[in-house]
Amino acid sequence: MAYTTIPKPTDYFNTKLYSGTGSSNALTGLNFQPDFVWIKNRTDTSNHRAFDAVRGANKRLTPNDTGAETTTTQELMSFNSNGFTVGTETDVNGSGQNFVSWNWKANGAGSSNTDGSITSTVSVNTTSGFSIVKYTGNGLAGATIGHGLGAVPKMTIIKSMTAGEDWIIPPLNDPTNYIVLNSTGTPGNGVGPFNNTAATSSVFSVGTWGTTNGNSQTLLAYCFAEKQGFSKISSYIGNGSATAPPFIYLGFKPAFVLLKNTTQADSWFLHDSKRDGFNDDNEYLRPNLTDGDSSGINRIRLLSNGFSVPTTDKSHNVNGNNYIYMAFAEEPLVSTNGIPATAR
């Protein structure tokens, strides 16, 4: 059995739960300075919030809609050595409300990357396979952008910072198709977003669409490559059985699972190991919606070496339907000291 390349996953990804105070609130306990912070109010209906160190604190994007970047004054105030500080804004720090943040480590504000035909600013952590990429589109088919990973990204999420465009993804690095994070839709196809050219270990390609390469638009990409024992980005086929559901082997105990039915129209679903609810009552959030925490239907079991989907709901397990997913580890299946992970 192969050991993980990352013995302590929480040095690179960590979920943080917190209670709002209504006043300046410094959140700690992440084990690292986060470079990408995704926040959601669990109690109330509100937009998801995405912040990163390349764009800087107080620069907000909303994953559930098409809005351009907004400069705020009382949302994410700073990225700190062991967490981050939020201000007085209700949707990130409302008094008495519950919040979740998902946090990734890259490498600060980033530096210039000239690997592609368009120069980019890249903050990258090659150990964990994550980079934040900022670039200015030129509207030309076949443009390329350096991502810095040194490995092929299997999940690239692109958003225009300056225009009202969708969050667009080539599913599992399939450049002939695209899927939208802020939508329930199934994949579309066409040369426009990614020029029918798969990403390589150094660059990703874009076409002429404004969603990925609008002329003179500033765009952002979050790029993820798989790392053994830490992350898995792949797909599974549903079997429609709640009693003998598919088991998806990851090689680690998952801390975070984002998944989407690509055969039928339905929401994205986001599960993590820290919010209330345990097997078989895990709560979920939907990145394309403003809803707070939901539970009820038993949709997922988080296990020591992967996850299963004990439901017949189309969200997770319709017979013959295809589902894509991205997962990050809470614990490796077997660490470098040979200690196995345990289930929830």
Side-chain angles (χ1 to χ4, degrees), residues 291-338:
D291 298 359
D293 268 331
S294 300
S295 60
I297 298 174
N298 179 29
R299 299 174 192 261
I300 196 168
R301 290 181 184 137
L302 304 179
L303 306 171
S304 64
N305 56 354
F307 66 93
S308 67
V309 283
T311 179
T312 60
D313 192 84
K314 70 176 180 177
S315 61
H316 290 64
N317 189 27
V318 168
N319 186 37
N321 279 199
N322 185 73
Y323 298 82
I324 61 171
Y325 67 86
M326 178 169 68
F328 293 92
E330 178 179 326
E331 296 177 37
L333 178 58
V334 179
S335 68
T336 51
N337 61 12

Side-chain angles (χ1 to χ4, degrees), residues 12-31:
Y12 300 94
F13 170 80
N14 210 338
T15 300
K16 174 70 178 179
L17 305 182
Y18 65 96
S19 297
T21 64
S23 58
S24 183
N25 192 1
L27 288 313
T28 61
L30 290 185
N31 298 331

Side-chain angles (χ1 to χ4, degrees), residues 229-253:
F230 173 74
S231 60
K232 184 72 174 175
I233 304 163
S234 190
S235 64
Y236 67 90
I237 302 296
N239 68 8
S241 172
T243 56
F247 166 69
I248 296 85
Y249 177 80
L250 300 175
F252 54 80
K253 180 180 180 179

Side-chain angles (χ1 to χ4, degrees), residues 48 63-64 179-187 236 257-271 284-292 294 299 313-317 321-325:
H48 292 252
N64 55 278
I179 195 164
V180 175
L181 182 64
N182 53 287
S183 169
T184 62
T186 56
Y236 67 90
V257 179
L258 173 68
L259 61 82
K260 172 76 172 74
N261 187 333
T262 60
T263 303
Q264 298 188 54
D266 199 10
S267 289
W268 293 79
F269 282 78
L270 202 163
H271 304 271
Y284 60 85
L285 287 162
R286 288 175 281 192
N288 55 289
L289 296 177
T290 60
D291 298 359
S294 300
R299 299 174 192 261
D313 192 84
K314 70 176 180 177
S315 61
H316 290 64
N317 189 27
N321 279 199
N322 185 73
Y323 298 82
I324 61 171
Y325 67 86

Side-chain angles (χ1 to χ4, degrees), residues 42-308:
R42 303 168 56 201
T43 306
D44 203 359
T45 298
S46 67
N47 286 328
H48 292 252
R49 260 69 171 170
F51 306 90
D52 61 75
V54 172
R55 293 180 297 121
N58 281 321
K59 301 290 186 179
R60 180 190 73 207
L61 287 167
T62 49
N64 55 278
D65 70 24
T66 61
E69 180 185 78
T70 300
T71 299
T72 65
T73 58
Q74 288 296 325
E75 295 198 16
L76 191 138
M77 309 297 289
S78 63
F79 301 95
N80 306 331
S81 61
N82 192 27
F84 58 91
T85 298
V86 288
T88 59
E89 168 59 41
T90 299
D91 289 339
V92 297
N93 191 30
S95 179
Q97 298 187 8
N98 296 320
F99 297 85
V100 58
S101 70
W102 304 287
N103 307 273
W104 287 263
K105 177 179 175 61
N107 191 27
S111 57
S112 179
N113 181 299
T114 58
D115 290 342
S117 62
I118 294 175
T119 298
S120 56
T121 299
V122 176
S123 175
V124 61
N125 193 300
T126 56
T127 301
S128 63
F130 171 58
S131 68
I132 305 166
V133 181
K134 186 172 74 171
Y135 63 99
T136 300
N138 62 16
L140 301 177
T144 57
I145 296 98
H147 54 66
L149 290 171
V152 176
K154 292 189 70 177
M155 178 72 79
T156 302
I157 306 172
I158 300 177
K159 176 69 179 80
S160 172
M161 295 162 54
T162 50
E165 300 278 5
D166 288 322
W167 295 71
I168 193 165
I169 301 164
L172 305 183
N173 195 29
D174 174 5
T176 65
N177 290 293
Y178 63 90
I179 195 164
V180 175
L181 182 64
N182 53 287
S183 169
T184 62
T186 56
N189 58 70
V191 70
F194 306 108
N195 202 50
N196 284 358
T197 305
T200 71
S201 60
S202 59
V203 300
F204 61 87
S205 295
V206 291
T208 59
W209 281 18
T211 46
T212 58
N213 192 25
N215 188 34
S216 299
Q217 289 187 29
T218 304
L219 297 109
L220 182 75
Y222 297 126
C223 304
F224 302 88
E226 286 186 331
K227 293 294 178 179
Q228 181 175 296
F230 173 74
S231 60
K232 184 72 174 175
I233 304 163
S234 190
S235 64
Y236 67 90
I237 302 296
N239 68 8
S241 172
T243 56
F247 166 69
I248 296 85
Y249 177 80
L250 300 175
F252 54 80
K253 180 180 180 179
F256 172 105
V257 179
L258 173 68
L259 61 82
K260 172 76 172 74
N261 187 333
T262 60
T263 303
Q264 298 188 54
D266 199 10
S267 289
W268 293 79
F269 282 78
L270 202 163
H271 304 271
D272 64 62
S273 62
K274 289 192 176 178
R275 279 177 290 149
D276 294 338
F278 289 83
N279 300 333
D280 290 319
D281 187 28
N282 291 288
E283 294 184 346
Y284 60 85
L285 287 162
R286 288 175 281 192
N288 55 289
L289 296 177
T290 60
D291 298 359
D293 268 331
S294 300
S295 60
I297 298 174
N298 179 29
R299 299 174 192 261
I300 196 168
R301 290 181 184 137
L302 304 179
L303 306 171
S304 64
N305 56 354
F307 66 93
S308 67

